[in-house]
Amino acid sequence: MGYCPEHDRFYEDLTPLQFVALLTRLHGYSTEQARKLSRQALEQVELTQKIDKPIRTLSHGMRQRLKVAQALAHEPGWLVLDEPLSGMDPVGRARMIRLFSKLSGEGTAVLVSSHVLHELEAMTTDILLLNKGRLLAQGQVQAIRELIDGHPHRIALQTDEPRDLGRELLRYDDVVRVEVAGERIVVETRSPDTCYNRIGELASGGDFRVRSMVSLDDNLEAVFRYLVK
Amino acid sequence: MNDVFTKDRPVPGLFASGWLVVRLFFRVSLGRRRILWIALAMLIPVAMAVYWRIAEGGDGTAFFVEMTVSLFLQFFALGLPLYLGVSAIRDEIEDKTIVYLFARPLHRAVILGGKIFSVALVVSFALALVLTVVYGIVVSADGFSELGARLPRLLLHAGVLAVASVAYTALFSLFGVLLRKPMLLAILIGFMWEAVASNLPGAFPRLTLLYYLKSLLGLGPEARGLMAVLIPSIEPAPFYTALAVLAVATVILFTATLTIGSRKEYRI
């Protein structure tokens, strides 16, 4: 198994190559094999600069990639990654996501733990939702969304008449709550499809001008929030 | 799923793993700063020996025994394992670098045992080296021919310091795995209980490691001068009894450290 911890901690005086090679040796590889595998892993995460400089001189993104490199250098069958994209720039994130997909395609079981749930959506459709060691839900995002149909769904609207629109929507039984903040209102409904249709009808009928309509509950963060309530 | 597991390699053997942990300790945990501190501390007895040789002179053997008990046994053999033994494990837990080791196919006991062994090795080597230098300086005051003649005494003292290093490393490593902030209690036990209780009257000395270590040197309550303060007021334990007590205590402490340290859930 390969494990990439969340914490940004290292043996700071070692170089990236020494760090990865030393840990790889603990898997029973010879010094030469460990160095070779370590170079390969550092190339995989595109950490080819500063591999002979002390770790303390690396940028945050480089350190993050180094953690991933030490986890995969010994070619594990399982890869457990705890917040692996934390602190990376968008380009770095995209590269890492590609790497994890490639490893997964080659037969490595990749398990990613993240609180930044939209990152997970970019990597997989299969998720486990855990809270304090308890499994809350398991399966595809869509299936999990269906599990929470009983919970109110939130829709954010931008309109010129927020109070009037809010008052109109509250007349319907499926609407649980309306929050007004300036020209923005957030509607909580137990029947999202009906509510979307109704708002569409009100807007197209010319009763209200709706400039934007966004579901606040389309991502995993929302699913998680509902499930831990 | 079987394909996933075929990539796994056989784990390295017990001794190979332990040796790698020892190498990691010397490469990473010991560090230049710690080596510098130890080297500076070790200059103290050398400087004292040189001063004594120039300013005082006299019975080199008596001074050598005083140095062994007062400085090496009661200070360095306690202080160095305390400094290194507590930090060898606790620092890695606090720094959260221990997860890199715990994620490898090594038993935790091998990781902890390798670190404890490394500390004991470093302390024993440093003490033996400096003790030999001090011996050369002070015993040669009685003539260079005495250096060879009194070699068994040097070997006995170096051996006692090695036993002390191992025993105290096991003790303070246990504090390192048991407590989140172990240093204060370790100092209290090391420099208060061990140093004070070993010189109290009654049965108190028998509850300290230091009493048995001093017993190995065969020093009894008839000692005079500085030694009268430093040596327990009760009769020393017989040599082999003292050795057996120390061996049993070390094994118990070492086993407790490995058992507790291996099973403990660390908040990292």
Side-chain angles (χ1 to χ4, degrees), chain A residues 20-212:
Chain A
V20 180
L22 214 64
L23 294 175
T24 305
R25 283 218 63 198
L26 296 174
H27 289 269
Y29 290 100
S30 69
T31 308
E32 274 311 301
Q33 287 173 320
R35 283 183 75 86
K36 189 179 166 201
L37 287 168
S38 303
R39 281 187 187 280
Q40 283 174 6
L42 290 165
E43 281 168 17
Q44 271 186 296
V45 299
E46 300 184 36
L47 185 60
T48 49
Q49 293 177 319
K50 287 194 168 184
I51 61 166
D52 291 319
K53 302 281 181 197
I55 292 171
R56 65 184 131 78
T57 65
L58 301 187
S59 69
H60 190 71
M62 286 173 158
R63 293 163 73 91
Q64 198 66 21
R65 281 181 275 161
L66 178 58
K67 280 196 293 187
V68 176
Q70 64 78 30
L72 56 86
H74 57 281
E75 300 178 324
W78 284 85
L79 197 54
V80 179
L81 309 161
D82 194 355
E83 306 282 359
L85 306 179
S86 166
M88 284 190 189
D89 58 44
V91 177
R93 282 168 197 248
R95 283 177 183 159
M96 278 296 136
I97 289 169
R98 271 203 304 276
L99 174 63
F100 301 150
S101 301
K102 179 172 164 274
L103 290 168
S104 175
E106 289 169 356
T108 304
V110 182
L111 180 66
V112 179
S113 160
S114 177
H115 287 89
V116 186
L117 296 172
H118 70 267
E119 287 178 356
L120 286 178
E121 285 182 297
M123 282 185 252
T124 183
T125 55
D126 297 309
I127 58 166
L128 297 166
L129 283 177
L130 300 167
N131 183 46
K132 293 177 182 169
R134 199 161 59 94
L135 182 63
L136 296 178
Q138 174 179 9
Q140 295 205 316
V141 180
Q142 187 57 39
I144 287 168
R145 295 281 291 115
E146 285 167 10
L147 280 174
I148 58 156
D149 270 354
H151 292 274
H153 185 102
R154 295 180 310 146
I155 303 166
L157 303 163
Q158 286 284 345
T159 175
D160 294 336
E161 302 98 13
R163 292 190 179 277
D164 293 341
L165 178 57
R167 205 174 295 120
E168 174 66 20
L169 290 171
L170 274 173
R171 287 175 47 226
Y172 299 94
D173 289 342
D174 62 285
V175 174
V176 180
R177 191 171 170 214
V178 173
E179 278 178 34
V180 178
E183 293 187 341
R184 183 177 189 262
I185 69 169
V186 176
V187 182
E188 281 189 25
T189 172
R190 286 204 183 88
S191 179
D193 291 343
T194 311
C195 194
Y196 279 123
N197 289 338
R198 187 181 304 124
I199 293 166
E201 283 166 13
L202 289 170
S204 60
D207 300 326
F208 299 97
R209 183 166 175 260
V210 178
R211 292 199 298 274
S212 74

Side-chain angles (χ1 to χ4, degrees), chain B residues 238-262:
Chain B
F239 183 86
Y240 287 108
T241 305
L243 199 59
V245 170
L246 288 165
V248 169
T250 303
V251 168
I252 290 171
L253 290 167
F254 190 68
T255 308
T257 305
L258 297 192
T259 308
I260 295 168
S262 302

Side-chain angles (χ1 to χ4, degrees), chain B:
Chain B
M1 290 297 282
N2 283 338
D3 288 342
V4 165
F5 292 102
T6 54
K7 285 187 172 185
D8 288 345
R9 290 172 52 81
V11 296
L14 187 69
F15 288 105
S17 313
W19 179 237
L20 286 168
V21 175
V22 171
R23 287 183 58 184
L24 188 73
F25 174 85
F26 280 96
R27 189 83 171 269
V28 174
S29 303
L30 193 54
R32 284 181 202 149
R33 193 163 51 100
R34 287 206 173 102
I35 293 173
L36 186 67
W37 275 114
I38 293 169
L40 283 174
M42 291 286 107
L43 284 177
I44 295 170
V46 175
M48 285 175 71
V50 170
Y51 175 78
W52 176 86
R53 179 72 190 269
I54 295 167
E56 303 279 333
D59 184 357
T61 305
F63 182 74
F64 179 67
V65 173
E66 281 183 11
M67 286 276 282
T68 303
V69 177
S70 63
L71 208 56
F72 283 94
L73 201 52
Q74 293 214 166
F75 188 72
F76 289 117
L78 263 169
L80 288 180
L82 192 151
Y83 175 52
L84 292 175
V86 167
S87 60
I89 296 165
R90 184 44 57 184
D91 281 5
E92 283 231 40
I93 295 167
E94 292 297 315
D95 288 347
K96 300 180 173 71
T97 48
I98 198 87
V99 292
Y100 291 115
L101 302 181
F102 283 174
R104 307 294 144 182
L106 308 178
H107 196 284
R108 286 185 179 189
V110 174
I111 295 168
L112 300 173
K115 283 179 170 289
I116 294 169
F117 176 76
S118 305
V119 171
L121 199 65
V122 169
V123 175
S124 302
F125 176 76
L127 292 180
L129 181 70
V130 180
L131 189 76
T132 306
V133 173
V134 168
Y135 171 84
I137 295 168
V138 299
V139 175
S140 63
D142 301 331
F144 284 96
S145 62
E146 290 300 310
L147 285 175
R150 295 179 188 174
L151 196 60
R153 183 178 292 277
L154 171 66
L155 294 176
L156 172 68
H157 286 216
V160 170
L161 290 180
V163 171
S165 306
V166 175
Y168 284 126
T169 302
L171 174 68
F172 295 126
S173 300
L174 179 60
F175 288 9
V177 297
L178 270 180
L179 307 169
R180 277 185 83 83
K181 305 276 183 199
M183 202 49 104
L184 182 63
L185 185 64
I187 289 171
L188 284 175
I189 295 286
F191 289 107
M192 294 299 289
W193 176 255
E194 281 289 302
V196 174
S198 68
N199 293 330
L200 289 175
F204 283 109
R206 293 184 204 282
L207 300 174
T208 67
L209 296 173
L210 202 52
Y211 165 72
Y212 297 99
L213 289 164
K214 287 175 179 174
S215 294
L216 291 179
L217 293 172
L219 299 169
E222 68 279 2
R224 306 214 180 280
L226 177 62
M227 299 309 292
V229 180
L230 299 172
I231 296 301
S233 54
I234 59 172
E235 284 297 320
F239 183 86
Y240 287 108
T241 305
L243 199 59
V245 170
L246 288 165
V248 169
T250 303
V251 168
I252 290 171
L253 290 167
F254 190 68
T255 308
T257 305
L258 297 192
T259 308
I260 295 168
S262 302
R263 294 178 181 176
K264 191 171 177 180
E265 280 291 323
Y266 296 97
R267 290 182 178 274
I268 293 173

